Coordinates of all heavy atoms in Angstrom, one line a residue:
M1 N 14.6 27.7 2.2 CA 15.7 27.2 2.9 C 16.3 26.1 2.0 O 15.5 25.2 1.8 CB 15.3 26.7 4.3 CG 16.3 25.9 5.0 SD 15.9 25.5 6.7 CE 15.3 23.8 6.6
L2 N 17.5 26.3 1.5 CA 18.0 25.3 0.6 C 19.0 24.4 1.1 O 19.3 23.4 0.5 CB 18.6 26.0 -0.5 CG 17.7 26.9 -1.6 CD1 18.5 27.6 -2.6 CD2 16.7 26.0 -2.1
G3 N 19.6 24.6 2.3 CA 20.6 23.8 2.9 C 21.8 23.6 1.9 O 22.2 24.5 1.3
P4 N 22.2 22.3 1.7 CA 23.3 22.1 0.8 C 23.0 22.0 -0.7 O 23.7 21.6 -1.4 CB 23.9 20.9 1.2 CG 22.7 20.1 1.7 CD 21.9 21.1 2.4
Y5 N 21.7 22.3 -1.0 CA 21.2 22.2 -2.4 C 21.2 23.6 -3.2 O 20.8 24.6 -2.6 CB 19.8 21.6 -2.3 CG 19.8 20.2 -1.9 CD1 19.6 19.8 -0.6 CD2 20.0 19.1 -2.7 CE1 19.7 18.6 -0.1 CE2 20.1 17.8 -2.3 CZ 19.9 17.5 -1.0 OH 20.0 16.2 -0.5
R6 N 21.5 23.6 -4.4 CA 21.5 24.9 -5.1 C 20.1 25.2 -5.5 O 19.7 26.4 -5.6 CB 22.4 24.7 -6.4 CG 23.9 24.7 -6.2 CD 24.7 24.7 -7.5 NE 24.5 23.4 -8.2 CZ 25.3 22.4 -8.0 NH1 26.1 22.4 -7.1 NH2 25.0 21.2 -8.7
S7 N 19.2 24.2 -5.8 CA 17.9 24.4 -6.3 C 17.0 23.3 -5.6 O 17.4 22.2 -5.5 CB 17.7 24.4 -7.8 OG 18.4 25.3 -8.4
F8 N 15.9 23.8 -5.0 CA 14.9 22.8 -4.5 C 13.5 23.6 -4.7 O 13.3 24.5 -3.9 CB 15.3 22.5 -3.0 CG 14.2 21.4 -2.5 CD1 13.8 20.4 -3.2 CD2 13.8 21.6 -1.2 CE1 12.9 19.5 -2.6 CE2 12.9 20.8 -0.5 CZ 12.6 19.7 -1.4
E9 N 12.7 23.2 -5.6 CA 11.4 23.8 -5.8 C 10.2 22.9 -6.4 O 10.7 21.9 -7.0 CB 11.5 25.1 -6.5 CG 12.1 24.9 -7.9 CD 12.2 26.2 -8.8 OE1 11.2 26.8 -8.9 OE2 13.4 26.4 -9.1
I10 N 9.1 23.3 -6.1 CA 8.0 22.6 -6.9 C 7.9 23.3 -8.2 O 7.5 24.6 -8.1 CB 6.7 22.6 -6.0 CG1 6.9 21.8 -4.7 CG2 5.5 22.1 -6.8 CD1 5.9 21.9 -3.7
V11 N 8.0 22.6 -9.2 CA 7.8 23.3 -10.5 C 6.4 23.0 -11.2 O 6.1 23.7 -12.2 CB 9.0 23.0 -11.5 CG1 10.2 23.6 -11.0 CG2 9.1 21.4 -11.8
S12 N 5.7 22.1 -10.7 CA 4.5 21.6 -11.2 C 3.6 21.1 -10.2 O 4.1 20.1 -9.5 CB 4.4 20.7 -12.4 OG 3.2 20.4 -12.8
P13 N 2.4 21.6 -9.9 CA 1.8 22.7 -10.5 C 2.5 24.1 -10.3 O 3.2 24.3 -9.3 CB 0.4 22.7 -10.0 CG 0.5 22.1 -8.7 CD 1.6 21.2 -8.7
E14 N 2.2 25.0 -11.1 CA 2.7 26.4 -10.9 C 2.1 27.0 -9.8 O 0.8 26.8 -9.6 CB 2.7 27.2 -12.3 CG 3.5 26.5 -13.4 CD 3.4 27.2 -14.7 OE1 2.9 28.4 -14.7 OE2 3.8 26.8 -15.7
S15 N 2.7 28.1 -9.3 CA 2.1 28.8 -8.2 C 0.8 29.5 -8.7 O 0.9 30.2 -9.7 CB 3.2 29.8 -7.6 OG 2.7 30.5 -6.6
N16 N -0.1 29.5 -7.9 CA -1.5 30.0 -8.2 C -2.1 29.4 -9.4 O -3.1 30.2 -10.0 CB -1.4 31.6 -8.1 CG -2.6 32.2 -7.8 OD1 -3.4 31.6 -7.0 ND2 -2.9 33.5 -8.2
Q17 N -1.8 28.3 -9.9 CA -2.3 27.8 -11.1 C -3.8 27.2 -10.8 O -4.0 26.6 -9.8 CB -1.5 26.6 -11.6 CG -2.1 25.9 -12.9 CD -1.1 24.9 -13.5 OE1 0.0 24.6 -12.8 NE2 -1.5 24.3 -14.6
T18 N -4.7 27.4 -11.7 CA -6.0 26.9 -11.6 C -6.2 25.8 -12.6 O -5.8 25.9 -13.8 CB -7.0 28.0 -11.9 OG1 -7.0 29.0 -11.0 CG2 -8.4 27.3 -11.8
L19 N -6.5 24.6 -12.1 CA -6.8 23.4 -13.0 C -8.2 23.2 -13.1 O -8.9 23.0 -12.1 CB -6.0 22.2 -12.4 CG -4.6 22.5 -12.2 CD1 -4.0 21.8 -11.1 CD2 -3.9 22.0 -13.5
R20 N -8.7 23.4 -14.4 CA -10.1 23.2 -14.7 C -10.2 22.5 -15.9 O -9.8 22.9 -17.0 CB -10.7 24.7 -15.0 CG -12.2 24.7 -15.0 CD -12.8 26.1 -15.2 NE -12.3 27.1 -14.4 CZ -12.9 27.7 -13.4 NH1 -14.2 27.3 -13.2 NH2 -12.5 28.6 -12.7
P21 N -11.0 21.3 -16.0 CA -11.6 20.6 -14.8 C -10.3 20.0 -13.9 O -9.3 19.7 -14.5 CB -12.4 19.6 -15.4 CG -11.8 19.3 -16.7 CD -11.1 20.7 -17.2
A22 N -10.8 19.7 -12.7 CA -9.7 19.0 -11.8 C -9.4 17.7 -12.4 O -10.3 17.0 -12.7 CB -10.3 19.1 -10.4
P23 N -8.1 17.4 -12.5 CA -7.7 16.0 -12.9 C -7.8 15.0 -12.0 O -7.7 15.3 -10.9 CB -6.2 16.3 -13.3 CG -5.8 17.4 -12.3 CD -7.0 18.3 -12.2
P24 N -8.2 13.8 -12.3 CA -8.3 12.7 -11.4 C -7.0 12.4 -10.7 O -7.0 11.9 -9.6 CB -8.8 11.6 -12.3 CG -8.4 11.9 -13.7 CD -8.4 13.4 -13.7
S25 N -5.8 12.7 -11.3 CA -4.6 12.5 -10.8 C -3.7 13.8 -11.0 O -3.5 14.1 -12.1 CB -4.0 11.2 -11.4 OG -2.6 11.0 -10.9
L26 N -3.2 14.4 -10.0 CA -2.4 15.5 -10.0 C -1.0 15.3 -10.0 O -0.6 14.8 -8.9 CB -2.8 16.5 -9.0 CG -2.1 17.9 -9.1 CD1 -2.4 18.8 -10.2 CD2 -2.3 18.7 -7.8
P27 N -0.2 15.5 -11.1 CA 1.3 15.3 -10.9 C 2.0 16.4 -10.2 O 1.6 17.7 -10.5 CB 1.8 15.2 -12.3 CG 0.7 16.0 -13.2 CD -0.6 15.8 -12.3
I28 N 2.8 16.1 -9.3 CA 3.6 17.1 -8.7 C 4.9 16.8 -9.1 O 5.6 15.7 -9.0 CB 3.6 16.9 -7.1 CG1 2.1 17.0 -6.5 CG2 4.5 18.0 -6.5 CD1 1.5 18.5 -6.4
S29 N 5.8 17.9 -9.5 CA 7.1 17.8 -10.0 C 8.1 18.6 -9.2 O 7.7 19.9 -9.1 CB 7.2 18.2 -11.5 OG 6.5 17.2 -12.3
L30 N 9.1 18.0 -8.8 CA 10.1 18.8 -8.0 C 11.4 18.9 -8.9 O 11.8 18.1 -9.5 CB 10.6 18.1 -6.7 CG 9.3 17.7 -5.8 CD1 9.9 16.8 -4.7 CD2 8.6 19.0 -5.3
L31 N 12.0 20.1 -8.7 CA 13.4 20.4 -9.2 C 14.4 20.3 -8.0 O 14.2 21.0 -7.0 CB 13.4 21.7 -9.9 CG 14.9 22.2 -10.3 CD1 15.4 21.3 -11.4 CD2 14.8 23.6 -10.7
L32 N 15.3 19.4 -8.1 CA 16.4 19.3 -7.1 C 17.8 19.2 -7.7 O 18.1 18.3 -8.6 CB 15.9 18.0 -6.4 CG 17.0 17.5 -5.2 CD1 16.9 18.5 -4.1 CD2 16.5 16.2 -4.7
D33 N 18.6 20.1 -7.2 CA 19.9 20.2 -7.7 C 20.8 20.5 -6.6 O 20.8 21.5 -5.9 CB 20.1 21.3 -8.8 CG 21.5 21.2 -9.4 OD1 22.1 20.1 -9.6 OD2 22.0 22.4 -9.6
P34 N 21.8 19.6 -6.3 CA 22.2 18.4 -6.9 C 21.2 17.3 -6.5 O 20.2 17.6 -5.7 CB 23.5 18.0 -6.3 CG 23.5 18.7 -5.0 CD 22.9 19.9 -5.2
P35 N 21.3 16.1 -7.1 CA 20.3 15.1 -6.8 C 20.4 14.8 -5.2 O 21.3 15.2 -4.5 CB 20.8 13.8 -7.5 CG 21.5 14.3 -8.7 CD 22.3 15.7 -8.2
L36 N 19.3 14.1 -4.8 CA 19.3 13.9 -3.4 C 20.4 13.2 -2.7 O 21.0 12.1 -3.3 CB 18.1 12.9 -3.0 CG 17.5 12.8 -1.7 CD1 16.9 14.2 -1.3 CD2 16.4 11.7 -1.6
M37 N 21.0 13.8 -1.7 CA 22.3 13.3 -1.1 C 22.0 12.1 -0.2 O 20.9 11.8 0.2 CB 22.9 14.4 -0.3 CG 23.4 15.5 -1.2 SD 23.9 16.9 -0.2 CE 24.2 18.2 -1.4
V38 N 23.1 11.2 -0.1 CA 23.0 10.1 0.7 C 22.6 10.6 2.1 O 23.0 11.5 2.7 CB 24.4 9.4 0.8 CG1 24.5 8.1 1.7 CG2 24.8 8.8 -0.6
G39 N 21.7 9.8 2.7 CA 21.1 10.0 4.1 C 20.0 10.9 4.1 O 19.5 11.3 5.2
H40 N 19.7 11.5 2.9 CA 18.6 12.5 2.9 C 17.3 11.8 2.3 O 17.4 10.8 1.5 CB 18.9 13.6 2.0 CG 19.9 14.6 2.7 ND1 20.4 15.7 2.0 CD2 20.5 14.5 3.9 CE1 21.3 16.3 2.8 NE2 21.4 15.5 4.0
R41 N 16.1 12.2 2.6 CA 14.9 11.7 2.1 C 14.0 12.9 1.8 O 14.0 13.9 2.4 CB 14.3 10.6 2.9 CG 13.8 11.2 4.3 CD 13.1 10.0 5.1 NE 12.9 10.5 6.4 CZ 11.7 11.0 6.8 NH1 10.8 11.3 5.9 NH2 11.5 11.5 8.1
L42 N 13.1 12.7 0.8 CA 12.2 13.7 0.3 C 10.8 13.5 1.1 O 10.4 12.2 1.4 CB 11.8 13.7 -1.1 CG 12.8 14.2 -2.1 CD1 12.5 13.9 -3.4 CD2 13.0 15.7 -1.8
E43 N 10.2 14.5 1.5 CA 8.8 14.4 2.1 C 7.9 15.5 1.4 O 8.4 16.6 1.2 CB 8.9 14.7 3.6 CG 7.7 14.5 4.3 CD 8.0 14.6 5.9 OE1 8.1 15.7 6.4 OE2 8.2 13.6 6.5
L44 N 6.7 15.2 1.1 CA 5.7 16.1 0.5 C 4.6 16.3 1.5 O 4.0 15.5 1.9 CB 5.3 15.5 -0.9 CG 4.3 16.5 -1.7 CD1 5.1 17.7 -2.1 CD2 3.8 15.8 -2.9
W45 N 4.4 17.6 1.6 CA 3.2 18.0 2.4 C 2.1 18.8 1.6 O 2.4 19.4 0.7 CB 3.8 19.1 3.5 CG 4.5 18.5 4.6 CD1 5.7 17.9 4.4 CD2 4.3 18.6 5.9 NE1 6.2 17.4 5.5 CE2 5.4 17.9 6.6 CE3 3.3 19.0 6.7 CZ2 5.4 17.7 8.0 CZ3 3.4 18.9 8.1 CH2 4.5 18.2 8.7
L46 N 0.9 18.3 2.0 CA -0.4 19.0 1.4 C -1.2 19.5 2.3 O -1.7 18.8 3.2 CB -1.1 17.9 0.4 CG -2.2 18.4 -0.3 CD1 -1.8 19.4 -1.5 CD2 -3.0 17.2 -0.9
D47 N -1.5 20.8 2.2 CA -2.5 21.6 3.2 C -2.0 21.3 4.6 O -2.8 21.0 5.4 CB -3.8 21.1 3.0 CG -4.3 21.3 1.5 OD1 -3.8 22.3 1.0 OD2 -5.3 20.5 1.0
G48 N -0.7 21.3 4.9 CA -0.2 21.3 6.3 C 0.0 19.8 6.8 O 0.4 19.8 8.0
M49 N -0.2 18.9 6.0 CA -0.1 17.5 6.4 C 0.8 16.7 5.6 O 0.8 16.8 4.4 CB -1.5 16.8 6.4 CG -2.6 17.4 7.3 SD -2.2 17.3 9.1 CE -2.3 15.6 9.2
P50 N 1.6 15.9 6.1 CA 2.5 15.1 5.3 C 1.8 14.0 4.4 O 0.7 13.5 5.0 CB 3.5 14.3 6.2 CG 2.8 14.4 7.6 CD 1.8 15.6 7.6
I51 N 2.2 13.8 3.3 CA 1.6 12.8 2.4 C 2.1 11.5 2.7 O 3.4 11.2 2.8 CB 1.9 13.2 1.0 CG1 1.4 14.5 0.3 CG2 1.4 12.1 0.0 CD1 -0.1 14.5 0.4
E52 N 1.3 10.6 2.9 CA 1.7 9.2 3.3 C 1.8 8.4 2.0 O 1.0 8.3 1.2 CB 0.6 8.5 4.2 CG 0.3 9.1 5.5 CD 1.5 9.1 6.4 OE1 2.4 8.1 6.4 OE2 1.7 10.0 7.2
T53 N 3.0 7.7 1.9 CA 3.3 6.9 0.7 C 3.9 5.6 1.0 O 4.4 5.5 2.2 CB 4.3 7.6 -0.2 OG1 5.4 7.8 0.3 CG2 3.8 8.9 -0.7
E54 N 3.8 4.7 0.1 CA 4.3 3.3 0.3 C 5.7 3.4 -0.4 O 5.8 3.5 -1.5 CB 3.5 2.2 -0.4 CG 2.3 2.0 0.4 CD 1.5 0.9 -0.5 OE1 2.0 0.2 -1.2 OE2 0.2 1.0 -0.2
G55 N 6.8 3.5 0.5 CA 8.1 3.7 0.0 C 8.5 5.2 -0.2 O 7.7 6.0 0.1
P56 N 9.7 5.4 -0.7 CA 10.4 6.7 -0.7 C 9.7 7.6 -1.8 O 9.1 7.1 -2.8 CB 11.8 6.5 -1.0 CG 11.9 5.1 -1.5 CD 10.7 4.3 -1.0
I57 N 9.7 8.9 -1.5 CA 9.1 9.8 -2.5 C 10.2 10.2 -3.6 O 11.3 10.4 -3.0 CB 8.5 11.1 -1.9 CG1 7.2 10.7 -1.1 CG2 8.2 12.2 -2.8 CD1 6.6 11.9 -0.4
G58 N 9.9 10.3 -4.8 CA 10.8 10.8 -5.8 C 10.5 12.2 -6.2 O 9.7 12.8 -5.6
T59 N 11.2 12.7 -7.3 CA 10.8 14.1 -7.7 C 9.6 14.1 -8.5 O 9.2 15.3 -8.9 CB 12.1 14.6 -8.5 OG1 12.4 13.7 -9.5 CG2 13.4 14.7 -7.7
Q60 N 9.0 13.0 -8.9 CA 7.7 13.0 -9.6 C 6.8 12.3 -8.8 O 6.9 11.1 -8.4 CB 7.9 12.3 -10.9 CG 8.9 13.0 -11.8 CD 8.6 14.2 -12.3 OE1 7.4 14.6 -12.6 NE2 9.5 15.2 -12.2
V61 N 5.7 12.9 -8.3 CA 4.6 12.3 -7.4 C 3.2 12.6 -8.0 O 3.0 13.6 -8.5 CB 4.7 12.9 -6.0 CG1 3.6 12.3 -5.1 CG2 6.1 12.7 -5.4
S62 N 2.3 11.5 -8.0 CA 1.1 11.8 -8.4 C 0.0 11.6 -7.4 O 0.1 10.6 -6.6 CB 0.8 10.7 -9.6 OG -0.5 10.9 -10.1
L63 N -0.8 12.7 -7.2 CA -1.8 12.6 -6.0 C -3.1 12.4 -6.6 O -3.5 13.0 -7.6 CB -1.8 14.0 -5.3 CG -0.5 14.5 -4.7 CD1 -0.5 15.8 -4.1 CD2 0.1 13.5 -3.7
R64 N -3.9 11.5 -5.9 CA -5.2 11.1 -6.4 C -6.2 11.6 -5.3 O -5.9 11.6 -4.1 CB -5.3 9.7 -6.7 CG -4.4 9.2 -7.7 CD -4.6 7.7 -7.9 NE -3.6 7.1 -8.7 CZ -3.5 7.2 -10.1 NH1 -4.5 7.9 -10.7 NH2 -2.5 6.7 -10.8
G65 N -7.5 11.8 -5.8 CA -8.5 12.0 -4.8 C -8.6 13.3 -4.1 O -9.2 13.5 -3.1
L66 N -8.0 14.5 -4.7 CA -8.0 15.7 -4.2 C -9.3 16.4 -4.3 O -10.0 16.2 -5.4 CB -7.0 16.6 -4.9 CG -5.5 16.2 -4.5 CD1 -4.6 17.2 -5.3 CD2 -5.2 16.1 -3.1
S67 N -9.8 17.0 -3.3 CA -11.1 17.7 -3.3 C -11.0 19.0 -4.2 O -9.9 19.6 -4.3 CB -11.6 18.0 -1.9 OG -10.7 18.8 -1.3
L68 N -12.1 19.4 -4.7 CA -12.2 20.7 -5.3 C -11.8 21.9 -4.2 O -12.0 21.7 -3.2 CB -13.5 21.0 -5.9 CG -13.9 20.2 -7.0 CD1 -15.3 20.5 -7.6 CD2 -13.0 20.3 -8.3
G69 N -11.2 23.0 -4.8 CA -10.9 23.9 -3.9 C -9.4 24.3 -4.1 O -8.6 23.9 -4.9
S70 N -8.9 25.2 -3.0 CA -7.6 25.6 -3.1 C -6.7 24.8 -2.3 O -7.2 24.4 -1.1 CB -7.4 27.1 -2.7 OG -8.1 27.9 -3.6
H71 N -5.5 24.5 -2.6 CA -4.6 23.6 -1.9 C -3.2 24.3 -1.8 O -3.0 25.1 -2.7 CB -4.6 22.2 -2.4 CG -5.8 21.3 -2.4 ND1 -6.3 20.8 -1.4 CD2 -6.7 21.3 -3.5 CE1 -7.5 20.3 -1.7 NE2 -7.7 20.7 -3.0
W72 N -2.4 23.9 -1.0 CA -0.9 24.2 -1.0 C 0.0 23.1 -0.7 O -0.4 22.2 0.0 CB -0.6 25.4 -0.1 CG -0.8 25.1 1.4 CD1 -1.9 25.3 2.1 CD2 0.4 24.7 2.3 NE1 -1.6 25.1 3.5 CE2 -0.3 24.7 3.5 CE3 1.7 24.5 2.0 CZ2 0.6 24.2 4.7 CZ3 2.3 24.0 3.1 CH2 1.9 24.0 4.4
A73 N 1.1 23.0 -1.5 CA 2.0 21.8 -1.4 C 3.4 22.5 -0.9 O 3.8 23.7 -1.4 CB 2.2 21.2 -2.6
E74 N 4.1 21.7 -0.3 CA 5.5 22.0 0.1 C 6.4 20.8 0.1 O 5.7 19.7 0.5 CB 5.5 22.8 1.5 CG 6.9 23.0 2.1 CD 6.7 23.5 3.4 OE1 6.7 24.9 3.6 OE2 7.0 22.8 4.4
A75 N 7.5 20.8 -0.2 CA 8.4 19.7 -0.2 C 9.5 20.0 0.8 O 10.0 21.1 1.0 CB 9.0 19.3 -1.6
R76 N 10.0 18.9 1.5 CA 10.9 19.0 2.4 C 12.0 17.9 2.2 O 11.7 16.8 1.7 CB 10.5 18.9 3.8 CG 9.4 19.9 4.3 CD 8.9 19.6 5.5 NE 7.9 20.7 5.8 CZ 7.3 20.9 6.9 NH1 7.5 19.9 8.0 NH2 6.3 21.8 7.2
I77 N 13.3 18.1 2.5 CA 14.3 17.2 2.6 C 14.8 17.1 4.0 O 15.0 18.1 4.7 CB 15.7 17.7 1.6 CG1 15.2 17.8 0.2 CG2 16.7 16.6 1.8 CD1 16.2 18.3 -0.6
L78 N 14.8 15.8 4.5 CA 15.0 15.6 5.8 C 16.2 14.6 6.0 O 16.6 13.7 5.0 CB 13.9 14.9 6.5 CG 12.7 15.8 6.7 CD1 11.7 15.3 5.6 CD2 12.0 15.7 7.9
D79 N 17.0 14.7 6.9 CA 17.9 13.6 7.4 C 17.6 13.1 8.9 O 16.6 13.4 9.3 CB 19.4 14.1 7.3 CG 19.7 15.3 8.3 OD1 18.8 15.5 9.2 OD2 20.7 15.9 8.2
A80 N 18.5 12.3 9.4 CA 18.1 11.8 10.8 C 17.9 12.9 11.9 O 17.3 12.6 12.8 CB 19.3 10.9 11.2
A81 N 18.5 14.0 11.6 CA 18.5 15.3 12.6 C 17.2 16.0 12.4 O 16.8 16.8 13.3 CB 19.6 16.0 12.7
G82 N 16.6 16.0 11.2 CA 15.4 16.8 10.8 C 15.4 17.5 9.5 O 16.0 16.8 8.6
I83 N 14.8 18.7 9.4 CA 14.7 19.3 8.1 C 16.1 19.9 7.6 O 16.7 20.6 8.3 CB 13.6 20.4 8.1 CG1 12.3 19.8 8.5 CG2 13.7 21.1 6.8 CD1 11.2 20.8 8.7
V84 N 16.4 19.5 6.4 CA 17.7 20.0 5.8 C 17.5 21.1 4.8 O 18.0 22.1 4.8 CB 18.3 18.8 5.1 CG1 19.6 19.4 4.2 CG2 18.7 17.7 5.9
A85 N 16.4 21.0 4.0 CA 15.8 22.0 3.1 C 14.4 22.0 2.9 O 13.8 21.0 3.1 CB 16.5 21.7 1.7
R86 N 13.9 23.1 2.5 CA 12.4 23.3 2.3 C 12.1 24.0 1.2 O 12.7 25.1 1.0 CB 11.9 24.0 3.5 CG 10.4 24.1 3.6 CD 10.0 24.8 4.8 NE 10.3 24.1 6.1 CZ 9.9 24.3 7.2 NH1 9.1 25.2 7.5 NH2 10.3 23.5 8.2
S87 N 11.2 23.6 0.3 CA 10.7 24.4 -0.8 C 9.8 25.5 -0.4 O 9.2 25.4 0.6 CB 10.0 23.5 -1.9 OG 8.7 23.3 -1.5
A88 N 9.7 26.5 -1.3 CA 8.6 27.5 -1.1 C 7.4 26.8 -1.3 O 7.2 25.9 -2.2 CB 8.8 28.7 -2.1
P89 N 6.3 27.2 -0.6 CA 4.9 26.5 -0.8 C 4.4 27.1 -2.1 O 4.6 28.2 -2.5 CB 4.1 27.1 0.4 CG 4.9 28.2 1.0 CD 6.2 28.1 0.5
V90 N 3.6 26.2 -2.6 CA 2.9 26.4 -3.9 C 1.3 26.2 -3.7 O 1.0 25.2 -3.3 CB 3.5 25.6 -5.2 CG1 2.6 25.8 -6.3 CG2 4.9 25.8 -5.3
T91 N 0.7 27.3 -4.1 CA -0.8 27.2 -3.9 C -1.5 26.9 -5.3 O -0.9 27.5 -6.3 CB -1.5 28.5 -3.5 OG1 -0.9 28.8 -2.1 CG2 -2.8 28.5 -3.2
F92 N -2.3 26.0 -5.4 CA -2.9 25.7 -6.7 C -4.5 25.6 -6.5 O -4.8 25.4 -5.3 CB -2.3 24.6 -7.3 CG -2.4 23.3 -6.5 CD1 -3.4 22.3 -6.6 CD2 -1.3 23.0 -5.6 CE1 -3.4 21.2 -5.9 CE2 -1.4 21.8 -4.9 CZ -2.4 21.0 -5.0
H93 N -5.2 25.6 -7.4 CA -6.7 25.6 -7.2 C -7.3 24.6 -8.4 O -7.1 24.5 -9.4 CB -7.4 26.9 -7.7 CG -6.5 28.0 -7.0 ND1 -6.8 28.4 -5.8 CD2 -5.5 28.9 -7.4 CE1 -5.8 29.4 -5.4 NE2 -5.2 29.8 -6.6
L94 N -8.2 23.6 -7.6 CA -8.9 22.6 -8.5 C -10.3 23.1 -8.6 O -10.9 23.4 -7.6 CB -8.8 21.2 -7.9 CG -7.4 20.8 -7.5 CD1 -7.4 19.6 -6.8 CD2 -6.6 20.7 -9.0
R95 N -10.8 23.2 -9.8 CA -12.1 23.7 -10.0 C -12.9 22.9 -10.9 O -12.4 22.0 -11.8 CB -12.1 25.2 -10.7 CG -11.1 26.1 -9.9 CD -12.2 26.6 -8.7 NE -11.4 27.8 -8.1 CZ -10.8 27.7 -7.0 NH1 -10.9 26.6 -6.1 NH2 -10.3 28.7 -6.4
E96 N -14.2 23.1 -10.9 CA -15.1 22.3 -11.8 C -15.0 22.9 -13.2 O -14.6 24.0 -13.4 CB -16.6 22.5 -11.3 CG -17.0 21.7 -10.0 CD -18.4 21.9 -9.7 OE1 -19.2 22.5 -10.3 OE2 -18.7 21.3 -8.6
P97 N -15.3 22.0 -14.3 CA -15.3 22.6 -15.5 C -16.3 23.7 -15.7 O -17.4 23.8 -15.1 CB -15.7 21.4 -16.5 CG -16.1 20.2 -15.6 CD -15.8 20.7 -14.2
L98 N -15.9 24.7 -16.6 CA -16.9 25.7 -16.9 C -18.1 25.2 -17.8 O -17.9 24.4 -18.7 CB -16.2 26.9 -17.7 CG -15.2 27.7 -16.7 CD1 -14.4 28.6 -17.6 CD2 -15.9 28.3 -15.6
P99 N -19.2 25.9 -17.7 CA -20.2 25.5 -18.6 C -19.9 25.9 -20.1 O -19.1 26.8 -20.3 CB -21.5 26.3 -18.1 CG -21.2 26.7 -16.7 CD -19.7 26.8 -16.7
P100 N -20.5 25.2 -21.1 CA -20.2 25.5 -22.4 C -20.5 27.0 -22.7 O -21.5 27.5 -22.3 CB -21.1 24.7 -23.2 CG -21.4 23.5 -22.3 CD -21.5 24.0 -21.0
G101 N -19.6 27.7 -23.4 CA -19.7 29.1 -23.8 C -19.3 30.1 -22.8 O -19.1 31.3 -23.0
V102 N -18.8 29.6 -21.7 CA -18.3 30.6 -20.6 C -16.8 30.7 -20.7 O -16.1 29.6 -20.7 CB -18.7 30.1 -19.1 CG1 -18.1 31.0 -18.1 CG2 -20.2 30.1 -18.9
I103 N -16.3 31.9 -20.7 CA -14.8 32.0 -20.8 C -14.2 32.5 -19.5 O -14.9 33.4 -18.9 CB -14.6 33.1 -21.9 CG1 -15.0 32.6 -23.3 CG2 -13.0 33.4 -22.0 CD1 -14.9 33.6 -24.5
P104 N -13.3 32.0 -18.9 CA -12.8 32.2 -17.6 C -12.1 33.7 -17.7 O -11.8 34.2 -18.6 CB -11.7 31.2 -17.4 CG -11.3 30.5 -18.6 CD -12.5 30.8 -19.6

């Protein structure tokens, strides 16, 4: 659901991407065109729960302390009445490093 936006998607991490070893801080990058309109705000959801932040969320967010395993992220644009636009969900996987000599 794009609402008044031409593009709104999570571009990083990529859909179904496996990150090995899991990074201590995971960057989430959003593509938004046109830029966020007046009266709208961004919200990021991880595994079905909104991410709590101090202050507004921008198109670049860094998440810390994620557990190993599979996760899904979704971004939303809201106004005073509710959801204006929603990105497609992106699933990504955080894994332990492989032992030396093992090829994925």
Side-chain angles (χ1 to χ4, degrees):
M1 170 173 104
L2 293 177
Y5 295 90
R6 288 185 292 273
S7 297
F8 181 44
E9 63 183 297
I10 297 173
V11 293
S12 177
E14 295 176 13
S15 184
N16 211 30
Q17 182 176 4
T18 298
L19 298 145
R20 188 185 309 256
S25 177
L26 178 71
I28 305 279
S29 298
L30 306 174
L31 172 66
L32 179 60
D33 182 38
L36 198 62
M37 297 175 182
V38 173
H40 291 177
R41 65 183 171 89
L42 285 169
E43 191 174 76
L44 184 63
W45 286 59
L46 182 69
D47 300 331
M49 300 292 292
I51 298 294
E52 299 292 329
T53 62
E54 294 179 19
I57 290 179
T59 56
Q60 305 292 316
V61 178
S62 186
L63 302 179
R64 297 181 192 283
L66 295 178
S67 61
L68 294 176
S70 296
H71 300 278
W72 66 272
E74 177 183 271
R76 298 176 182 183
I77 298 173
L78 297 100
D79 66 8
I83 297 173
V84 173
R86 182 181 301 194
S87 73
V90 171
T91 299
F92 57 93
H93 316 281
L94 302 178
R95 303 286 187 246
E96 292 182 358
L98 292 173
V102 175
I103 298 174

